[in-house]
Amino acid sequence: YASCKRYGASYRAHPPNYIPPKCMGRTELCKQVLNDTWRSYPCWSEDSTFSGSKKTQYEEYINKCDDERFELDVVIETNLTCIKQLEAVQRKMVKLTPEEVARFRLDNKLGGTSEVIGRQAIKRIYGDKHSGIIDGLKKSPQAVIPIVLKRLKNKDEEWCEARRQFSKIWNDQCKKYHLKSLDHQSVTFKQTDQKSIKSKHLVTEIETLYDERMEQMTDSSKCVLGPHLTITHKDHHILEDARALIIHHLRRQSHLQKEEKTKVKFFLNGFLQDFFFAPRGDVSEDESDDDTSEEDDETRSRGSRASNKGSTRRSNRKSDRPNKSIKVVPTDGDASDAYNLFFTNNQWYVFLRQHQILCERLFL
């Protein structure tokens, strides 16, 4: 076929010596519209390393529903076609005389246009005994057809009812998994995203920036000033959304004591809001107590040093390397003469980076 006439990228014409297989079920319309000239001839090799995208579990669920629906439809339609064939034969015998009925016989097509459809429908119902049933239909159709028709119709009702019941399940599953199946990155996104926000990755990121800065200074013999990383909070309202989301998650942590939750809430509503020059959050009466009032006062005294420009600097654990800094720039106000300077360890740095990632995603 490689040397035959081409049609597009995937089709080749049959060679002149090609003998097409016989098909006994074709009508004149089939001969006019069906393809007997061209054959699919893919241009790729089985040894190719190309592989399509892997299906997600949700795509598998929907494909499974489609396969089950298709298989049941084929069974019902095959059975219904056999019923129509035998009913047509039965109506034909009604018009015959008793002598003609006694001499009437069926061929392998059982009154239809295909030898396969009727045989498959009967085999599906009668199993290993289908050969005897088919022989009885051929030799004594007047006696066997009513019995077979009754059985076929009973099965048709049973399968149609099963299809109605299964349709509810299939529809529910398709509605449940349809939107999830459209996400083609769901297989790897969670793993990649979890890796990108882990402490190790975030610390490695800032250390890499530090190493690049040192290499740049070594190569150029010039001192490069400025923060290693600059991140921007585009909207103060997002800080409020992030604070509310963290507190909402905190309330559902059953393993934390009430005192621990209260401390975290005072930190989020107090120091963190002041650090980013955002309005303080309100703490309900049941969340405040005398034990945490001193911590709140201390948090307020720290926040009073805040101004319009925020930058954080993280001290490295290795004594032989200088500190690395992250500069957080707000989007409003005059940032020329005021800033927040916060010397931190790795834990604080990771928290502030993850907080910024949360705000960034809420802003999208």
Side-chain angles (χ1 to χ4, degrees):
Y1 284 95
S3 60
C4 294
K5 183 179 178 181
R6 296 183 58 178
Y7 185 81
S10 301
Y11 287 92
R12 300 289 188 277
H14 289 299
N17 57 351
Y18 174 75
I19 301 177
K22 295 182 179 180
C23 182
M24 304 176 61
R26 287 196 175 186
T27 62
E28 291 298 327
L29 179 62
C30 295
K31 296 178 181 178
Q32 295 176 7
V33 300
L34 296 181
N35 171 40
D36 289 326
T37 308
W38 304 95
R39 168 166 293 197
S40 176
Y41 188 82
C43 56
W44 52 267
S45 172
E46 292 183 357
D47 299 331
S48 174
T49 57
F50 172 79
S51 60
S53 59
K54 183 180 179 181
K55 291 182 180 179
T56 64
Q57 56 178 338
Y58 307 110
E59 289 179 302
E60 293 289 351
Y61 290 144
I62 293 182
N63 290 338
K64 184 178 179 181
C65 290
D66 291 339
D67 291 341
E68 292 175 351
R69 196 192 303 264
F70 172 75
E71 291 175 2
L72 186 55
D73 287 342
V74 170
V75 170
I76 293 176
E77 291 300 323
T78 302
N79 187 71
L80 187 60
T81 300
C82 186
I83 291 175
K84 292 180 179 179
Q85 291 179 4
L86 295 181
E87 286 180 342
V89 174
Q90 197 175 36
R91 288 193 298 270
K92 182 179 180 180
M93 289 191 299
V94 172
K95 301 177 182 179
L96 301 178
T97 62
E99 292 77 9
E100 293 174 337
V101 171
R103 296 193 300 268
F104 185 77
R105 298 290 184 272
L106 291 177
D107 56 7
N108 293 331
K109 298 179 181 179
L110 301 179
T113 58
S114 173
E115 298 181 5
V116 180
I117 296 178
R119 183 179 294 274
Q120 285 183 344
I122 294 174
K123 183 179 180 180
R124 186 173 289 111
I125 294 177
Y126 290 96
D128 297 337
K129 299 180 180 179
H130 73 282
S131 299
I133 301 297
I134 293 175
D135 291 339
L137 287 172
K138 293 178 181 179
K139 297 177 182 179
S140 303
Q142 69 279 6
V144 180
I145 285 180
I147 300 174
V148 175
L149 268 178
K150 183 178 179 181
R151 185 73 182 275
L152 291 174
K153 290 180 179 180
N154 290 337
K155 281 294 181 180
D156 181 68
E157 294 178 359
E158 178 183 342
W159 288 334
C160 288
E161 178 62 26
R163 180 167 60 180
R164 283 190 290 269
Q165 298 296 329
F166 282 119
S167 293
K168 299 178 182 178
I169 301 175
W170 292 329
N171 292 336
D172 292 341
Q173 289 182 345
C174 289
K175 290 179 181 179
K176 181 179 180 181
Y177 299 122
H178 172 66
L179 294 178
K180 294 181 179 180
S181 67
L182 299 179
D183 185 8
H184 65 282
Q185 294 183 342
S186 61
V187 177
T188 59
F189 175 77
K190 272 189 176 181
Q191 299 176 356
T192 305
D193 186 64
Q194 289 177 357
K195 182 179 178 180
S196 64
I197 63 177
K198 283 186 175 180
S199 303
K200 182 178 180 180
H201 177 82
L202 296 175
V203 173
T204 303
E205 178 189 21
I206 191 65
E207 289 180 349
T208 302
L209 293 175
Y210 171 80
D211 294 336
E212 292 176 355
R213 174 72 62 85
M214 295 301 296
E215 291 178 1
Q216 182 181 0
M217 294 173 61
T218 302
D219 296 338
S220 61
S221 300
K222 294 181 180 180
C223 181
V224 181
L225 302 178
H228 295 84
L229 177 65
T230 301
I231 53 179
T232 303
H233 291 270
K234 299 180 180 180
D235 189 355
H236 278 173
H237 296 89
I238 300 301
L239 295 172
E240 176 65 23
D241 295 339
R243 181 188 65 84
L245 184 60
I246 296 174
I247 292 178
H248 176 79
H249 176 72
L250 180 67
R251 290 172 180 169
R252 281 151 180 78
Q253 303 306 308
S254 58
H255 63 280
L256 295 178
Q257 300 295 329
K258 182 178 179 181
E259 293 76 10
E260 296 174 330
K261 293 182 180 180
T262 304
K263 291 179 181 179
V264 175
K265 291 174 184 177
F266 273 117
F267 166 76
L268 294 174
N269 290 304
F271 171 76
L272 195 62
Q273 295 296 103
D274 292 340
F275 182 76
F276 289 109
F277 306 97
R280 280 180 167 243
D282 296 331
V283 181
S284 58
E285 296 180 357
D286 59 332
E287 295 173 351
S288 60
D289 50 30
D290 297 332
D291 295 335
T292 57
S293 59
E294 296 180 0
E295 297 176 5
D296 185 46
D297 293 338
E298 183 181 357
T299 304
R300 291 177 184 272
S301 64
R302 293 179 185 175
S304 61
R305 305 190 190 101
S307 56
N308 201 11
K309 182 178 181 181
S311 70
T312 61
R313 293 191 176 180
R314 180 184 63 82
S315 60
N316 194 277
R317 293 182 178 180
K318 298 180 180 179
S319 59
D320 58 340
R321 300 181 66 179
N323 295 335
K324 294 182 282 293
S325 62
I326 290 181
K327 184 179 181 180
V328 182
V329 182
T331 57
D332 54 349
D334 184 12
S336 60
D337 57 353
Y339 59 89
N340 251 339
L341 186 61
F342 188 25
F343 291 91
T344 70
N345 55 18
N346 284 354
Q347 287 75 20
W348 272 99
Y349 164 75
V350 171
F351 168 76
L352 292 174
R353 283 290 286 119
Q354 291 178 341
H355 183 270
Q356 182 267 335
I357 293 173
L358 174 62
C359 294
E360 183 181 12
R361 296 184 178 183
L362 290 175
F363 183 78
L364 298 177

